[in-house]
Coordinates of all heavy atoms in Angstrom, one line a residue:
G1 N 23.1 -99.1 82.3 CA 22.7 -97.8 82.8 C 21.2 -97.8 83.2 O 20.6 -98.8 83.4
A2 N 20.7 -96.6 83.3 CA 19.3 -96.4 83.8 C 18.7 -95.3 83.0 O 19.4 -94.4 82.5 CB 19.3 -96.2 85.3
V3 N 17.4 -95.3 82.9 CA 16.6 -94.3 82.3 C 15.7 -93.6 83.3 O 15.1 -94.3 84.1 CB 15.8 -94.9 81.1 CG1 15.0 -93.8 80.4 CG2 16.7 -95.6 80.1
Y4 N 15.6 -92.3 83.2 CA 14.8 -91.6 84.2 C 13.7 -90.7 83.5 O 14.0 -90.2 82.4 CB 15.7 -90.6 85.0 CG 16.8 -91.3 85.7 CD1 18.0 -91.7 85.1 CD2 16.7 -91.6 87.1 CE1 19.0 -92.3 85.7 CE2 17.7 -92.2 87.8 CZ 18.9 -92.6 87.1 OH 19.9 -93.2 87.7
V5 N 12.6 -90.5 84.1 CA 11.7 -89.5 83.6 C 12.1 -88.2 84.4 O 12.4 -88.3 85.6 CB 10.2 -89.9 83.9 CG1 9.9 -90.2 85.3 CG2 9.3 -88.8 83.4
A6 N 12.1 -87.1 83.7 CA 12.5 -85.8 84.3 C 11.6 -84.7 83.8 O 10.9 -84.9 82.8 CB 14.0 -85.5 83.9
R7 N 11.6 -83.6 84.5 CA 10.8 -82.4 84.1 C 11.8 -81.2 83.9 O 12.7 -81.1 84.7 CB 9.7 -82.1 85.1 CG 8.5 -83.1 85.0 CD 7.4 -82.5 85.9 NE 6.3 -83.5 85.9 CZ 5.3 -83.5 85.0 NH1 5.3 -82.7 84.0 NH2 4.3 -84.4 85.1
H8 N 11.5 -80.4 82.9 CA 12.2 -79.2 82.8 C 11.8 -78.3 84.0 O 10.6 -78.1 84.2 CB 11.8 -78.5 81.5 CG 12.7 -77.4 81.1 ND1 12.7 -76.1 81.7 CD2 13.6 -77.2 80.0 CE1 13.5 -75.3 81.1 NE2 14.1 -76.0 80.1
V9 N 12.7 -77.7 84.7 CA 12.4 -77.0 85.9 C 11.7 -75.7 85.7 O 10.9 -75.2 86.6 CB 13.7 -76.8 86.8 CG1 14.3 -78.1 87.2 CG2 14.7 -75.9 85.9
E10 N 11.8 -75.1 84.5 CA 11.1 -73.9 84.2 C 9.8 -74.1 83.4 O 8.8 -73.6 83.7 CB 12.0 -72.9 83.5 CG 13.3 -72.5 84.3 CD 12.9 -71.6 85.4 OE1 11.8 -71.0 85.4 OE2 13.7 -71.5 86.4
L11 N 9.9 -75.0 82.4 CA 8.8 -75.1 81.5 C 7.8 -76.3 81.9 O 6.7 -76.3 81.5 CB 9.3 -75.4 80.1 CG 10.3 -74.3 79.5 CD1 10.8 -74.7 78.1 CD2 9.6 -73.0 79.5
G12 N 8.3 -77.2 82.7 CA 7.5 -78.2 83.2 C 7.2 -79.4 82.4 O 6.5 -80.4 82.8
H13 N 7.7 -79.5 81.1 CA 7.4 -80.6 80.3 C 8.3 -81.8 80.6 O 9.4 -81.6 81.1 CB 7.6 -80.3 78.8 CG 9.0 -79.9 78.4 ND1 9.4 -78.6 78.5 CD2 10.0 -80.6 77.9 CE1 10.7 -78.5 78.1 NE2 11.0 -79.7 77.8
R14 N 7.8 -83.0 80.3 CA 8.6 -84.2 80.6 C 9.5 -84.6 79.5 O 9.3 -84.3 78.3 CB 7.6 -85.4 80.8 CG 7.0 -85.5 82.2 CD 6.1 -86.7 82.3 NE 5.7 -87.0 83.7 CZ 5.0 -88.0 84.1 NH1 4.5 -88.8 83.2 NH2 4.7 -88.2 85.4
V15 N 10.6 -85.2 79.9 CA 11.6 -85.8 79.0 C 12.0 -87.1 79.6 O 11.8 -87.4 80.8 CB 12.8 -84.9 78.8 CG1 12.4 -83.6 78.1 CG2 13.6 -84.6 80.1
A16 N 12.7 -87.9 78.8 CA 13.4 -89.1 79.3 C 14.9 -88.9 79.2 O 15.4 -88.3 78.2 CB 13.0 -90.3 78.5
I17 N 15.6 -89.2 80.2 CA 17.1 -89.0 80.2 C 17.8 -90.4 80.5 O 17.5 -91.1 81.5 CB 17.5 -88.0 81.3 CG1 16.8 -86.7 81.0 CG2 19.1 -87.8 81.2 CD1 17.2 -85.6 82.0
K18 N 18.7 -90.7 79.7 CA 19.4 -92.0 79.8 C 20.9 -91.7 80.3 O 21.6 -90.9 79.7 CB 19.4 -92.7 78.5 CG 20.2 -94.0 78.4 CD 19.8 -94.9 77.3 CE 20.1 -94.4 75.9 NZ 19.9 -95.3 74.8
F19 N 21.2 -92.4 81.4 CA 22.6 -92.3 81.9 C 23.3 -93.7 81.9 O 22.6 -94.7 82.2 CB 22.6 -91.8 83.3 CG 22.4 -90.3 83.5 CD1 21.2 -89.8 83.8 CD2 23.5 -89.4 83.4 CE1 21.0 -88.4 83.9 CE2 23.3 -88.1 83.5 CZ 22.1 -87.5 83.8
L20 N 24.5 -93.7 81.6 CA 25.3 -94.9 81.9 C 25.6 -95.0 83.4 O 25.7 -94.0 84.1 CB 26.7 -94.8 81.2 CG 26.7 -94.9 79.7 CD1 28.1 -94.7 79.2 CD2 26.2 -96.3 79.2
H21 N 25.7 -96.3 83.9 CA 26.1 -96.5 85.2 C 27.6 -96.1 85.3 O 28.3 -96.2 84.3 CB 26.0 -98.0 85.6 CG 24.6 -98.4 85.9 ND1 23.7 -97.6 86.5 CD2 24.0 -99.6 85.5 CE1 22.5 -98.3 86.6 NE2 22.7 -99.4 86.0
A22 N 28.1 -95.6 86.4 CA 29.4 -95.2 86.6 C 30.5 -96.2 86.2 O 31.5 -95.9 85.5 CB 29.7 -94.7 88.0
E23 N 30.2 -97.5 86.5 CA 31.2 -98.5 86.2 C 31.2 -98.8 84.7 O 32.2 -99.3 84.2 CB 30.9 -99.8 87.0 CG 29.5 -100.4 86.8 CD 29.2 -101.5 87.7 OE1 29.6 -101.5 88.8 OE2 28.5 -102.5 87.2
A24 N 30.1 -98.6 84.0 CA 30.1 -98.7 82.6 C 30.7 -97.5 81.9 O 31.3 -97.7 80.8 CB 28.6 -98.9 82.1
A25 N 30.5 -96.4 82.4 CA 31.0 -95.1 81.8 C 32.6 -95.1 81.7 O 33.1 -94.4 80.9 CB 30.5 -93.9 82.6
V26 N 33.2 -95.9 82.6 CA 34.7 -95.9 82.6 C 35.3 -96.7 81.4 O 36.4 -96.7 81.1 CB 35.3 -96.3 83.9 CG1 34.9 -95.4 85.0 CG2 34.9 -97.7 84.3
N27 N 34.4 -97.6 80.8 CA 34.8 -98.4 79.7 C 34.8 -97.5 78.5 O 33.8 -96.9 78.1 CB 33.8 -99.5 79.5 CG 34.1 -100.5 78.4 OD1 34.3 -100.0 77.2 ND2 34.2 -101.7 78.7
E28 N 35.9 -97.3 77.9 CA 36.1 -96.3 76.8 C 35.2 -96.7 75.6 O 34.6 -95.8 75.0 CB 37.6 -96.3 76.3 CG 38.5 -95.6 77.4 CD 39.9 -95.4 76.8 OE1 40.1 -95.8 75.7 OE2 40.7 -95.0 77.6
D29 N 35.1 -98.0 75.3 CA 34.3 -98.4 74.1 C 32.8 -98.1 74.4 O 32.1 -97.6 73.5 CB 34.5 -99.8 73.8 CG 33.7 -100.3 72.6 OD1 33.9 -99.7 71.5 OD2 32.8 -101.2 72.7
V30 N 32.3 -98.4 75.6 CA 30.9 -98.1 76.0 C 30.6 -96.6 75.9 O 29.6 -96.2 75.4 CB 30.6 -98.7 77.4 CG1 29.2 -98.3 77.8 CG2 30.7 -100.2 77.3
A31 N 31.5 -95.8 76.5 CA 31.4 -94.4 76.5 C 31.4 -93.8 75.1 O 30.6 -92.9 74.8 CB 32.4 -93.7 77.4
R32 N 32.2 -94.4 74.3 CA 32.3 -93.9 72.9 C 31.0 -94.2 72.2 O 30.5 -93.3 71.4 CB 33.5 -94.5 72.2 CG 33.6 -94.1 70.7 CD 34.7 -94.9 70.0 NE 34.4 -96.4 70.1 CZ 33.5 -97.0 69.3 NH1 32.9 -96.3 68.3 NH2 33.4 -98.3 69.4
R33 N 30.4 -95.4 72.3 CA 29.2 -95.7 71.6 C 28.0 -94.9 72.2 O 27.1 -94.6 71.4 CB 28.9 -97.2 71.8 CG 29.9 -98.1 70.9 CD 29.4 -99.5 70.9 NE 29.7 -100.2 72.2 CZ 28.8 -100.7 73.0 NH1 27.5 -100.5 72.8 NH2 29.2 -101.3 74.1
F34 N 28.1 -94.6 73.5 CA 27.0 -93.8 74.1 C 27.0 -92.4 73.5 O 26.0 -91.9 73.1 CB 27.2 -93.8 75.6 CG 26.1 -93.2 76.4 CD1 24.8 -93.8 76.4 CD2 26.2 -92.0 77.0 CE1 23.8 -93.3 77.2 CE2 25.2 -91.4 77.8 CZ 24.0 -92.1 77.8
A35 N 28.2 -91.8 73.4 CA 28.3 -90.5 72.8 C 27.9 -90.5 71.3 O 27.3 -89.6 70.8 CB 29.8 -90.0 73.0
M36 N 28.3 -91.6 70.6 CA 27.9 -91.7 69.2 C 26.4 -91.8 69.1 O 25.8 -91.2 68.1 CB 28.6 -92.9 68.5 CG 28.2 -93.1 67.1 SD 29.1 -94.4 66.3 CE 30.7 -93.6 66.1
E37 N 25.7 -92.5 69.9 CA 24.3 -92.6 69.9 C 23.6 -91.3 70.0 O 22.7 -90.9 69.2 CB 23.8 -93.5 71.0 CG 22.3 -93.6 71.1 CD 21.7 -94.3 72.3 OE1 22.5 -94.8 73.2 OE2 20.5 -94.4 72.5
A38 N 24.1 -90.4 70.9 CA 23.6 -89.1 71.1 C 23.8 -88.3 69.8 O 22.8 -87.6 69.3 CB 24.2 -88.4 72.3
R39 N 25.0 -88.3 69.2 CA 25.3 -87.5 68.0 C 24.4 -88.0 66.8 O 23.9 -87.2 66.1 CB 26.8 -87.5 67.7 CG 27.6 -86.8 68.7 CD 29.0 -86.6 68.1 NE 29.7 -87.8 67.8 CZ 30.4 -88.5 68.7 NH1 30.6 -88.1 69.9 NH2 31.0 -89.7 68.3
L40 N 24.4 -89.3 66.6 CA 23.7 -89.8 65.5 C 22.2 -89.5 65.5 O 21.6 -89.0 64.6 CB 23.9 -91.3 65.4 CG 25.3 -91.8 65.0 CD1 25.3 -93.4 65.0 CD2 25.9 -91.2 63.8
T41 N 21.6 -89.8 66.7 CA 20.2 -89.6 66.8 C 19.8 -88.2 66.8 O 18.8 -87.8 66.2 CB 19.7 -90.3 68.1 OG1 20.2 -91.6 68.2 CG2 18.1 -90.4 68.0
A42 N 20.6 -87.3 67.4 CA 20.3 -85.9 67.4 C 20.3 -85.3 66.0 O 19.6 -84.3 65.7 CB 21.3 -85.1 68.2
N43 N 21.0 -85.9 65.1 CA 21.1 -85.4 63.7 C 20.1 -86.0 62.7 O 20.1 -85.7 61.6 CB 22.5 -85.5 63.2 CG 23.4 -84.4 63.7 OD1 23.5 -83.3 63.3 ND2 24.2 -84.8 64.8
L44 N 19.3 -86.9 63.3 CA 18.3 -87.6 62.5 C 16.9 -86.9 62.7 O 16.4 -87.0 63.8 CB 18.2 -89.1 62.8 CG 19.4 -89.9 62.5 CD1 19.2 -91.4 62.9 CD2 19.7 -89.9 61.0

């Protein structure tokens, strides 16, 4: 996948956003691990 720098359209602050490539996202195991990464890290 790829990582992007982005800005909040209203508040203007920067964030980083990570996306899977489309061909990787169709892999169920990869998509599952990606979703788990978000859940695990968000709760830490």
Side-chain angles (χ1 to χ4, degrees):
V3 180
Y4 304 80
V5 56
R7 285 189 185 274
H8 193 290
V9 294
E10 296 292 338
L11 303 179
H13 63 271
R14 278 183 167 181
V15 297
I17 304 182
K18 177 161 64 174
F19 280 99
L20 290 174
H21 289 319
E23 60 186 35
V26 298
N27 182 306
E28 291 185 3
D29 183 59
V30 171
R32 178 186 59 78
R33 286 190 287 112
F34 190 68
M36 178 175 287
E37 177 187 359
R39 289 195 300 271
L40 293 181
T41 313
N43 284 279
L44 295 177

